[in-house]
Amino acid sequence: MGTLRKARRAAVGMALASLITTPVVLGAGMGSAAAVDGDVYSHYTAMGGGGSTATAYVNWSSSTKVVWQDIYVNDTCPGDGHVAILKFQVRYEGDSGWTTVGTRRDEGTCESAPYTESSASWSSSRRINDATVVACVESVGCAAAGSDYRDNPYW
């Protein structure tokens, strides 16, 4: 992951996480679909504190394959004792809702290093319209899907 991208994610995550005290979707209104590869961001804050931040870079390979790169999920402080989860989600052609096609977990505490992974992909026999990530806190809740996503340019 590039140094600039790491710094931007860290700065945005810290600034936004410090402003939230109730469950909200960060990026609602900020995010918009773009028919190009690019970053997606999601944050969820649980009642009483703690939360999860999830980011990735969406890279489209075809109308039926998406690759998420520079995957990042972090348990945010104050610690709530729950695991932070990143959900990979896609919206298929003809569907109005989002489908979870994979997950990653930050099993550490809010003080530990985040979970990172270089890439994960999803292929389907169906055309994929959009892709995103969604931040969740296990047994607590998730940010709303689709506030920040990338359209598939292969049409």
Side-chain angles (χ1 to χ4, degrees):
M1 181 183 326
T3 303
L4 179 59
R5 190 178 299 154
K6 281 183 183 177
R8 184 178 66 192
R9 285 184 181 171
V12 169
M14 289 187 307
L16 292 175
S18 68
L19 296 174
I20 297 180
T21 58
T22 59
V24 298
V25 179
L26 291 181
M30 289 176 17
S32 61
V36 295
D37 299 344
D39 289 316
V40 289
Y41 173 86
S42 178
H43 182 81
Y44 178 80
T45 299
M47 296 291 277
S52 174
T53 299
T55 64
Y57 184 87
V58 173
N59 185 357
W60 292 101
S61 297
S62 71
S63 64
T64 59
K65 183 176 180 181
V66 60
V67 179
W68 289 272
Q69 298 172 317
D70 301 330
I71 299 158
Y72 172 98
V73 60
N74 193 33
D75 186 355
T76 57
C77 292
D80 56 12
H82 296 285
V83 173
I85 299 172
L86 173 149
K87 290 184 178 181
F88 298 109
Q89 293 193 334
V90 298
R91 187 165 39 201
Y92 292 107
E93 180 180 29
D95 289 357
S96 59
W98 292 89
T99 301
T100 299
V101 296
T103 60
R104 298 296 185 271
R105 300 165 58 92
D106 178 8
E107 300 279 353
T109 66
C110 68
E111 289 89 14
S112 67
Y115 174 87
T116 61
E117 185 176 338
S118 61
S119 68
S121 64
W122 178 255
S123 296
S124 174
S125 59
R126 296 178 64 192
R127 291 178 93 160
I128 303 169
N129 281 355
D130 310 300
T132 192
V133 296
V134 174
C136 302
V137 174
E138 185 175 57
S139 303
V140 177
C142 295
S147 62
D148 189 19
Y149 60 94
R150 293 292 172 163
D151 284 336
N152 189 335
Y154 290 96
W155 291 96

